[in-house]
Amino acid sequence: MSERSSIGPAGLAALVATGAIGGLIGDMGHVQSGTTVYLEDPLPYIWESQLWFPLMVGGGTAALGWIAVELGASAAEAERSEPLREAAAAIASVLGLYALTAIVRGEPAAVGIVLCYSVAALICARFARDRVDWLCALLAALFGVGSEVLLSAAGVFEYAGDVEQILGVAAWLPALYLAYGVVASRLGVLVALSRGPR
Amino acid sequence: MSERSSIGPAGLAALVATGAIGGLIGDMGHVQSGTTVYLEDPLPYIWESQLWFPLMVGGGTAALGWIAVELGASAAEAERSEPLREAAAAIASVLGLYALTAIVRGEPAAVGIVLCYSVAALICARFARDRVDWLCALLAALFGVGSEVLLSAAGVFEYAGDVEQILGVAAWLPALYLAYGVVASRLGVLVALSRGPR
Amino acid sequence: MSERSSIGPAGLAALVATGAIGGLIGDMGHVQSGTTVYLEDPLPYIWESQLWFPLMVGGGTAALGWIAVELGASAAEAERSEPLREAAAAIASVLGLYALTAIVRGEPAAVGIVLCYSVAALICARFARDRVDWLCALLAALFGVGSEVLLSAAGVFEYAGDVEQILGVAAWLPALYLAYGVVASRLGVLVALSRGPR
């Protein structure tokens, strides 16, 4: 009898939905604050976002969660006893950081960058429990920031000129993706937990 | 010998004082930031607040704490071993959120709302330990937001026109009252704890 | 065989480096936001800071860490099992508060002060584990704020005129030093831990 757990179709759907809705909520703040602007809109808008954005975040969340569980990330005691509380805190942390990255527009670059990386470090330190979580943080940063660099270079969207940038994306962007990667990994574990061992 | 605890007169007085002082500190930020304006001042001002405001918050805090204890909310291990630390963290969390609701004035509505609800969710996830805490959160939101809706409609005070509103009160207001309700509930438990079982 | 631990030369150097780099990162935000201005620059600048500033913070961090360990502050279970996580969270907390003190410039005084003291209280409640930590918080506030009062009076630097001040320094400054003192104390414990008992 294996102790290994897995994520079923319903779990993957829950991760896609969580990521997509979270992405829409966060992106709304970026658009409303003028932090980012969509330059091309071939697809319909959902709230303030082009359709591809929530699909990308939703798909990424499911992929990271699936990778975490397949690589053997396991639930900690607090996650077993209070999975909903852990999931809510993890999601709220990343949404709060997402809003923070929008609120620092107009502040001196150094202040916003230090604040966002500090909060991201606190989120990672609070939720990461496993080497796999850190791998997911790196994967999220690599693919997330990489995708935005490419899409920005292709003229699909842009960051406001007064936002401190590296390769066309905000300097605080890696912090947001690192925290997101850790949380997506743990959400995968929590979703697998709800299904029990396979 | 019953294990049930209760709040004595001194405990109720402490809850009233904590709520009243916390309300004055928080309201000072709302008034100074122009988030809210008193339109009628039949009573004397305490700092920046009309006298009825600290009385309302103080009375509400004592009422919620009393309800929590009467309904059997019990202390967790961390609260028994370090009650002062838990109380200080709970109070500081709500005061910080209160200040945050003032600081987001002038930011895009979505950003401020997401940030305030995210922090409120983190406070609830950190401090709520019992179903009774969630009941107190709902009671605080119902009566707190309800009172403000009525007082705003009656022209006693108003939120600034640039603050996103629902029924005349700020859209982030339920978040503040939910977090406050959970904390008032736990402060009741901590005050009862200091008295021992009845 | 004594259980007492101590900090060796490498540990002191690590504390000096951590404090110096943290001071440079935080001060960068204060200078870029115009919160503080150096009025005299007899020494070279490192990033945005006069050379004496990182030396003062680095030396203070090592001194506080050394005092904490000599006075017998001991490691808690979480610090023994995950020292890097605890150190990272502690450092990120203070850097985040440092950036927050820069970001509140331009906000109403009461709002910024309440937010900074609330976050400082949360940092102290999270990381302080020992009476010695509180002693270090007081020492940091006394010597840190005292030094800044003297240097401000001597015309070496000044806080912006729109920053609420007490004796020539920001009203939120004690909050920053109190949190810093607790964290410097715990970093001393963590550094001593890495060396084992003497």
Side-chain angles (χ1 to χ4, degrees), chain A residues 23-24 27-28 31 38 44-51 53-54:
Chain A
L24 288 172
D27 201 37
M28 178 172 58
V31 171
Y38 286 98
Y45 280 96
I46 316 284
W47 295 359
E48 305 273 10
S49 307
Q50 275 285 289
L51 179 59
F53 185 75

Side-chain angles (χ1 to χ4, degrees), chain B residues 7-193:
Chain B
I7 304 180
L12 286 176
L15 290 174
V16 169
T18 302
I21 294 171
L24 288 172
I25 292 172
D27 199 38
M28 179 170 59
H30 278 179
V31 172
Q32 284 193 12
S33 64
T35 302
T36 53
V37 181
Y38 286 99
L39 300 176
E40 297 189 3
D41 43 11
L43 299 175
Y45 279 97
I46 315 286
W47 295 0
E48 306 273 10
S49 307
Q50 275 284 289
L51 179 58
W52 59 264
F53 184 75
L55 296 180
M56 196 178 84
V57 182
T61 306
L64 290 165
W66 184 82
I67 288 168
V69 172
E70 288 302 308
L71 293 183
S74 63
E77 175 52 32
E79 291 171 319
R80 289 182 193 282
S81 61
E82 304 196 296
L84 279 179
R85 184 193 301 258
E86 287 291 310
I91 293 168
S93 296
V94 171
L95 286 179
L97 174 57
Y98 214 142
L100 193 64
T101 60
I103 227 172
V104 297
R105 188 183 172 206
E107 303 291 338
V111 174
I113 291 168
V114 172
L115 194 53
C116 291
Y117 278 90
S118 298
V119 172
L122 289 173
I123 295 174
C124 292
R126 164 67 180 78
F127 291 104
R129 300 175 187 277
D130 207 303
R131 286 195 186 179
V132 173
D133 299 326
W134 295 103
L135 174 67
C136 285
L138 288 176
L139 288 174
L142 193 65
F143 285 93
V145 176
S147 301
E148 293 208 20
V149 166
L150 292 178
L151 290 166
S152 170
V156 174
F157 78 100
E158 67 177 6
Y159 280 86
D162 60 356
V163 173
E164 181 84 4
Q165 297 179 22
I166 302 168
L167 300 177
V169 302
W172 42 251
L173 196 63
L176 180 56
Y177 274 107
L178 288 167
Y180 158 76
V182 165
V183 164
S185 175
R186 297 321 296 178
L187 291 180
V189 171
L190 288 165
V191 162
L193 192 68

